[in-house]
Each structure stands twice: as C-alpha cells, then as structure tokens.
Amino acid sequence: MTTTDVRERTGTAAGRLPGAWGLGLRRGALEIRQFFRQRDQVVFTFAFPVVFLFLFASIFSDDVKGAGITASQLYVPAMMAAGIMSTSFQSLGISIAIERDEKVLRRLRGTPMPPAAYFLGKIWLVLVTGTLETAILLLAGTTLYDVDLPADAGKWADFAWIFVLGLTACALLGIAVSSVPKSGKSATSVVVLPFLVLQFISGVYIAIDTIPDWMLNIGALFPLKWMCQGLRGVFLPESAQVLEQTGGWEFGRTALVLGAWCVGGLLLCLLTFRWKNRRDG
C-alpha cells in the first residue's frame, strides 16, 4: 500500500484540512474544558441567578391577585430568561473583550483555523452553559416553588424555540458588544450595566404591571423582555396572562422579535467585530 493510499484512507491527503464545523467542535470542547477548570467562574455563573431567585422568591412570596400564581412562581421563568442572557450575552461580551486585549484573538487569526471555527466554539460553550443554567433554575422552580412542568408537547416545543432563538440572539449581541470596551479591564462595566438595566425594565426583578409603560416599551426593543414573556407563557397557567402588558403571551410576536435580533445580531457582528484592539491598528 502506497503512502498516497494511506493518506486517502485516513483523510489526510495533501491539501485537505479539517472543515470549520469539525474545528468548531474541537474549539467548543476546548472552551468548555477551560470554563469548567475555573471553579470560581463556574460557581458564580451558575449560582448567581439561583441566589437571586431564592432572595426575590423569599421576599415576595404572596399570591399575585387575579393571576392564580404566587410571586415566587412568577420569578422562576424570568430568572431562567436572565440566566440564558447571562451565559450568552454577558459571558461572551466580557470574555471575548479580554481575549482581544490579551492578543489571543490576534494569534488565532494568524493560524490556518477558519474564523467561523472560533465563533462555533463560543456557541457550543454558551449552549452547554445555558442549558445547564436553565436546568438548574427549572429544578429549583419545580422543587421549591411549585412550578408545574408543561404536560402539553406544544408547550415544550415553544420552550425549545424560545431557548434556541433567545440564546442565539443574545450570543450574537454578546459577540458584537465585545468590540465596545476599549480594554479587557473595562469590559465588565461596559457589558454588565446594560444587562442590569434590561433586567429591571424587562420584568425580571419587577412585575410587568408595576413598570411604567415607557420603560416597558424600551425593554420591548430587546430580546430579554420577550424571553421572559415567552417562558412565562410556557411554565405559568393561562390565568397569569392578565399580568402582561397586552394581556396575552404573544408567542408570535416573541418569535418575530427574537428572530429579528438573530439576524440583526449577525449583521452587527459582521460590521463591528475586530480581531485586534484599536490601539493595535
């Protein structure tokens, strides 16, 4: 058997390099390993929404008038939405800015690895962490706060597309916003502030019916409000619709807004993403 035959059988013929998808899987596995090796980051990432859920659910535990639920149950889907955005938008916005500042991106750009593989690796990371975060919050909600799991397959289908579209939109926005900080040191402040504001005006910490309409209208321009509303529609009874701004779950509009942000986020990434800091030229 000739050397050429061996190369052809093993897929290592001259000029044949691994594709972006295969490299993205390997890059994703590397990102996941690196994430779980940093124990303090793992604990903070997964514990933060759970601690806030426990605090708010303990402070506001009374029945919500006319909604057929308790305030504790109202917080569970909202915290799930915030957890999804935390593991995607916030995580990527900060980590990519730091990698750019430390010239990790610049070195990767100089390798034969396709740029798409780097971003696929990040998507795999947020998919794994987002899934784990959601599962932990859902477990807490069902065991501690009497949130019922949907018995209808249609509700689980709604949950699936809300999760996928919401995670994708927030991840793309995180990649785009990573170009805003001037340095890795300022990334946390630049990324966390808008995320914190959105949580207050999107129905995460404060019930929708107590937020001024003009704030809700601003929040409605961004994905988090629709993720909260969609997940409430999945995990809360129909009687809780009265708490929404329009008195309904609006799944169609939720899909439209999240889908639009997926497209818009991709365009923002293509227009704004940089492999080097501004000071590096």
Side-chain angles (χ1 to χ4, degrees):
M1 182 181 295
T2 65
T3 303
T4 302
D5 293 333
V6 173
R7 286 179 176 176
E8 288 178 351
R9 288 194 175 188
T10 58
T12 57
R16 181 183 297 177
L17 296 174
W21 179 255
L23 288 174
L25 287 173
R26 295 184 178 91
R27 181 72 195 177
L30 176 61
E31 294 274 0
I32 293 168
R33 286 199 301 270
Q34 289 177 335
F35 172 80
F36 282 102
R37 285 172 182 169
Q38 302 177 35
R39 294 184 180 180
D40 53 344
Q41 182 182 3
V42 172
V43 172
F44 179 82
T45 298
F46 293 129
F48 187 81
V50 177
V51 170
F52 266 68
L53 172 60
F54 176 76
L55 289 175
F56 279 92
S58 299
I59 296 170
F60 307 101
S61 57
D62 296 334
D63 291 341
V64 180
K65 186 178 180 180
I69 60 171
T70 64
S72 303
Q73 293 171 320
L74 186 62
Y75 279 113
V76 173
M79 289 299 178
M80 289 171 61
I84 292 171
M85 191 166 186
S86 173
T87 55
S88 52
F89 172 80
Q90 179 174 290
S91 176
L92 293 186
I94 295 173
S95 64
I96 294 177
I98 292 174
E99 289 178 356
R100 181 184 293 110
D101 197 46
E102 294 177 348
K103 295 181 173 56
V104 174
L105 298 188
R106 189 174 182 176
R107 291 195 294 271
L108 287 175
R109 192 68 180 94
T111 68
M113 183 184 75
Y118 171 77
F119 298 110
L120 285 172
K122 292 296 186 184
I123 294 298
W124 280 115
L125 172 63
V126 299
L127 179 60
V128 170
T129 54
T131 300
L132 289 174
E133 183 77 270
T134 303
I136 291 170
L137 288 165
L138 189 56
L139 178 63
T142 54
T143 57
L144 300 177
Y145 305 114
D146 298 322
V147 172
D148 294 326
L149 293 177
D152 181 8
K155 289 288 187 180
W156 284 112
D158 288 333
F159 169 75
W161 65 256
I162 291 169
F163 178 83
V164 171
L165 288 181
L167 187 76
T168 303
C170 292
L172 291 170
L173 287 175
I175 295 172
V177 81
S178 70
S179 298
V180 176
K182 293 183 178 180
S183 69
K185 294 180 179 179
S186 64
T188 300
S189 301
V190 172
V191 175
V192 170
L193 179 59
F195 178 42
L196 183 61
V197 172
L198 281 177
Q199 289 178 86
F200 276 97
I201 66 175
S202 300
V204 176
Y205 299 140
I206 303 174
I208 288 291
D209 58 350
T210 61
I211 302 175
D213 283 342
W214 67 270
M215 286 188 178
L216 287 175
N217 292 335
I218 294 175
L221 298 174
F222 299 94
L224 183 58
K225 185 262 186 188
W226 299 99
M227 292 162 59
C228 291
Q229 184 169 315
L231 291 176
R232 283 194 292 267
V234 171
F235 294 105
L236 298 183
E238 296 301 312
S239 57
Q241 292 185 79
V242 298
L243 300 176
E244 301 299 334
Q245 190 177 16
T246 61
W249 299 131
E250 298 183 288
F251 285 119
R253 184 173 293 183
T254 298
L256 181 63
V257 174
L258 293 181
W261 269 112
C262 288
V263 176
L266 178 59
L267 291 176
L268 284 174
C269 290
L270 294 174
L271 293 173
T272 65
F273 187 81
R274 293 178 290 103
W275 294 92
K276 298 184 293 183
N277 273 330
R278 297 185 183 94
R279 63 175 179 268
D280 295 330

